[in-house]
């Protein structure tokens, strides 16, 4: 970075001479070093998948989840600093509860995303705080708009997607997602593809073990974990795909 080390990266409220906010860029780097998270929007729901890296063999399996239920019809996951992601999940739950108390109806996925994005952006405005080191995927099923999927960046900007990825394997995962026919794909098919993409994206870091975390929000508007049998089948197919590629 041309201006790095000249004092312009000491505060999130300071621009460099070329108009950059380095602390936001550093937060983005934290995201790029984290385990991959993927979201896809199918014809009838949203599927989320996470490469949950295991830093120690002593950890209890499933004790450090990265996919969170926000409301009955909305789920959230993130890549980056895990503590920041959990904080944003808690904030999203507060926003959903506040909306329900105020308007006596459940929030839409986009409205919730807008509120979370404004909260994230506020942490780029003041020298007394730092930007969140996490990119957040928010997905759910609205009664009117159907399946919805958004990503909130550390800058506070958010985008709507048919399929998205954040984390270390972002570029590879996006390329693979673009090959899928998401408009006609069922949620079960999407689970198989998400598992395959995460396993292939993880292939560059074979020395690190990981847990595959899968969750979905179906047409009934309920967020649940993917059934164990389907998860195991997705893992089996992903491992088989990797073995076939190695043989070729």
């Amino acid at each position: 970075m041309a201006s790095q080390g000249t004092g312009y990266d000491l505060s999130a409220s300071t621009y460099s001479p070329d108009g950059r906010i380095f602390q936001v860029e550093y937060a983005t780097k934290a995201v790029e070093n984290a385990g991959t998270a993927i979201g896809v929007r199918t014809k009838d729901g949203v599927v989320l998948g996470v490469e949950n890296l295991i830093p120690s063999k002593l950890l209890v399996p499933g004790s450090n989840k990265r996919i969170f239920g926000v409301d009955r019809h909305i789920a959230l996951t993130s890549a980056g600093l895990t503590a920041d992601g959990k904080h944003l999940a808690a904030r999203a739950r507060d926003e959903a509860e506040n909306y329900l108390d105020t308007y006596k109806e459940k929030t839409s996925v986009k409205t919730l995303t807008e509120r979370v994005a404004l909260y994230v952006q506020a942490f780029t405005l003041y020298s007394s705080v730092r930007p969140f080191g996490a990119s957040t995927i928010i997905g759910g099923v609205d009664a009117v708009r159907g399946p919805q999927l958004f990503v909130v960046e550390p800058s506070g900007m958010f985008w709507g997607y048919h399929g998205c990825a954040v984390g270390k394997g972002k570029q590879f995962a996006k390329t693979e997602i673009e090959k899928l026919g998401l408009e006609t794909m069922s949620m079960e098919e999407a689970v198989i593809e998400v598992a395959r993409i995460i396993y292939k994206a993880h292939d560059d870091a074979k020395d690190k073990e990981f847990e595959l975390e899968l969750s979905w929000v179906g047409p009934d508007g309920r967020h649940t974990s993917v059934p164990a049998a389907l998860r195991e089948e997705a893992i089996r197919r992903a491992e088989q795909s990797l073995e076939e590629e190695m043989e070729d």
Side-chain angles (χ1 to χ4, degrees):
M1 297 181 183
S3 303
Q4 191 172 15
T6 58
Y8 297 106
D9 59 350
L10 300 179
S11 169
S13 61
T14 303
Y15 283 99
S16 71
D18 50 353
R20 295 156 67 184
I21 300 178
F22 285 121
Q23 286 206 6
V24 172
E25 296 184 20
Y26 298 161
T28 302
K29 288 293 183 182
V31 174
E32 293 174 355
N33 291 329
T36 307
I38 293 176
V40 294
R41 194 177 92 182
T42 68
K43 63 180 181 180
D44 50 6
V46 171
V47 175
L48 301 177
V50 171
E51 173 199 14
N52 205 348
L53 299 174
I54 302 175
S56 171
K57 293 182 178 180
L58 298 177
L59 283 176
V60 176
S63 62
N64 192 28
K65 292 185 177 298
R66 283 174 50 200
I67 300 179
F68 306 95
V70 175
D71 202 338
R72 179 172 291 186
H73 64 301
I74 302 176
L76 175 153
T77 188
S78 62
L81 303 179
T82 304
D84 285 13
K86 289 184 175 181
H87 178 85
L88 290 176
R91 177 70 186 196
R93 287 168 178 160
D94 289 343
E95 293 289 356
E97 183 178 1
N98 177 264
Y99 190 95
L100 180 61
D101 289 343
T102 303
Y103 299 106
K104 309 306 177 186
E105 65 180 16
K106 291 183 177 297
T107 178
S108 68
V109 183
K110 186 175 182 180
T111 298
L112 179 74
T113 302
E114 288 175 342
R115 290 189 171 202
V116 172
L118 286 171
Y119 181 72
V120 171
Q121 197 260 340
F123 278 71
T124 70
L125 301 178
Y126 308 103
S127 58
S128 58
V129 296
R130 64 161 176 80
F132 286 100
S135 285
T136 304
I137 300 175
I138 300 175
V141 177
D142 287 346
V144 177
R145 296 181 177 176
Q148 299 286 299
L149 186 67
F150 297 91
V151 173
V152 180
E153 302 290 354
S155 64
M157 189 65 192
F158 74 92
W159 312 86
Y161 287 95
H162 291 288
C164 59
V166 293
K168 185 173 288 187
K170 171 182 175 180
Q171 293 303 326
F172 171 80
K174 279 189 173 182
T175 302
E176 292 296 309
I177 292 172
E178 288 173 357
K179 301 176 184 177
L180 304 177
L182 296 175
E183 295 82 1
T184 59
M185 185 174 287
S186 68
M187 293 173 63
E188 290 77 10
E189 292 170 334
V191 166
I192 300 297
E193 293 297 333
V194 166
R196 179 185 64 82
I197 292 170
I198 288 178
Y199 265 78
K200 289 184 72 175
H202 178 77
D203 203 35
D204 294 333
K206 293 180 180 178
D207 55 321
K208 296 182 180 179
E209 293 187 11
F210 79 101
E211 288 180 332
L212 176 64
E213 197 174 339
L214 293 167
S215 185
W216 61 18
V217 185
D220 59 350
R222 294 181 66 90
H223 167 243
T224 60
S225 297
V226 170
L230 179 57
R231 178 180 176 275
E232 294 303 320
E233 175 65 14
I235 292 174
R236 185 188 67 79
R237 291 199 190 185
E239 292 175 342
Q240 182 179 358
S241 178
L242 282 178
E243 292 174 359
E244 290 174 353
E245 284 192 2
M246 290 178 63
E247 291 175 358
D248 292 341

